[in-house]
Amino acid sequence: MLKALRPKITAIISDTNTSIDGRLQGICKLLKESIHYYDWVGFYFKNGDKNELRLGPYAGEPTDHTTIPFGKGICGQVALSNENFVVPDVKAQDNYIACSINVKAEIVVPLFLNGENIGQIDIDSNTPDPFTNEDEKLLEFINAEVAKIL
Ligand code: SME
């Protein structure tokens, strides 16, 4: 059950001895290690006043896509739509930025601070069509927790 991870997330968020980036990194690592179909987990945040996302803490292989313009790829689309984007098959997407040839599916959930879409959590999976509503609920919970410390 993905719900069982919630207390661990809350514990990481509450650890004021660790920097904010360190805590976000801890969440990425926890998710990647706990959920077998999470192969890359990262946060992107709006870059100041620019209409682009910058990569924040992540767990998994390094990616070339450290800056993503709004509108581009799944992440860039979520920056504009303010809605969760679940992609069961990345090959079926025209507006998609490939990070690794192994990735089969992706989920991106926006992160709101005071009602404003300021970033997102992005998961890549090497398993086809692995995400359910439980993943969306967990990731929404995480982003709401993260917003409390930003
Ligand atoms: N696939 C994403 C780009 C980010 S990587 O998955 C880390 C996209 O299409 O926006």
Side-chain angles (χ1 to χ4, degrees):
M1 270 297 273
L2 295 184
K3 251 193 170 159
L5 288 170
R6 290 187 180 205
K8 294 182 184 175
I9 297 290
T10 308
I12 292 171
I13 291 286
S14 316
D15 176 16
T16 50
N17 290 319
T18 301
S19 69
I20 289 171
D21 272 5
R23 285 179 256 173
L24 297 189
Q25 172 73 60
I27 290 170
C28 293
K29 190 165 173 285
L30 172 74
L31 292 179
K32 184 174 183 297
E33 288 173 357
S34 309
I35 305 175
H36 69 89
Y37 53 89
Y38 282 24
D39 294 291
W40 188 94
V41 180
F43 288 94
Y44 282 92
F45 289 100
K46 186 176 196 299
N47 184 13
D49 288 338
K50 295 187 187 158
N51 285 333
E52 66 182 28
L53 296 162
R54 289 284 300 163
L55 180 62
Y58 67 93
E61 291 296 309
T63 172
D64 289 340
H65 305 290
T66 52
T67 303
I68 299 178
F70 279 18
K72 201 159 179 287
I74 308 303
C75 296
Q77 291 177 77
V78 169
L80 296 174
S81 74
N82 305 329
E83 285 177 7
N84 298 350
F85 199 153
V86 181
V87 182
D89 174 9
V90 297
K91 284 207 170 68
Q93 294 293 322
D94 291 333
N95 189 358
Y96 169 71
I97 304 166
C99 281
S100 148
I101 53 161
N102 298 320
V103 175
K104 301 278 196 300
E106 178 162 5
I107 181 171
V108 178
V109 172
L111 194 160
F112 299 98
L113 183 64
N114 301 324
E116 190 189 343
N117 180 353
I118 57 135
Q120 51 193 238
I121 189 166
D122 175 20
I123 319 292
D124 283 346
S125 180
N126 300 343
T127 303
D129 195 8
F131 302 115
T132 69
N133 190 246
E134 295 299 307
D135 296 279
E136 291 189 65
K137 282 193 282 189
L138 175 67
L139 299 172
E140 286 169 4
F141 169 80
I142 289 171
N143 284 351
E145 289 295 297
V146 169
K148 291 179 189 168
I149 58 168
L150 294 179

